[in-house]
Amino acid sequence: MQDFAYLFGDSVAAWLRGRGDARFQRYERHYKAERQATQDTQAFDLERSNEQYSKRCAQSGGRILRVLDSKTFKRVVFFLALLWGGSLLLSTVGKQQPAIAGILLAALFVAIRINRRRNRSGRR
């Protein structure tokens, strides 16, 4: 087991200098906003401010998590999976039975046209 305690001082110093990631800048913005919100410096409670910041960070999550959880991303992934699977299926069926693959493609295009026409007439 390795001892990484020697790195702690450097990482804290780097964080306080604002190097590395954007956590220090976010905390600094929160701290300054809290200080400005309470004009009386005697009424400012640093511990309460830090607790609020901790709660906000825990609730916010990361950008990547928000993107991965969005409907748009899920739809794009689903579309790409269908596109990939469909291309594999179409090439396999097309090699073995090209007439059936052609009929399936024609039926698919006709179904898409009918669906679009129904949607247009339903909007008017």
Side-chain angles (χ1 to χ4, degrees), residues 67-107:
V67 168
L68 292 176
D69 198 33
S70 69
K71 278 186 176 180
T72 306
F73 181 76
K74 290 177 183 177
R75 287 179 179 171
V76 166
V77 168
F78 182 71
F79 172 75
L80 291 175
L82 282 179
L83 186 67
W84 176 71
S87 66
L88 291 176
L89 180 68
L90 185 63
S91 64
T92 304
V93 171
K95 287 178 185 175
Q96 294 175 357
Q97 298 176 353
I100 293 177
I103 292 170
L104 286 175
L105 280 176

Side-chain angles (χ1 to χ4, degrees), residues 49-76:
S49 174
N50 287 342
E51 289 173 1
Q52 288 176 348
Y53 179 73
S54 174
K55 288 178 185 175
R56 188 187 329 164
C57 287
Q59 291 172 350
S60 68
R63 283 185 186 169
I64 294 174
L65 291 178
R66 284 194 305 261
V67 168
L68 292 176
D69 198 33
S70 69
K71 278 186 176 180
T72 306
F73 181 76
K74 290 177 183 177
R75 287 179 179 171
V76 166

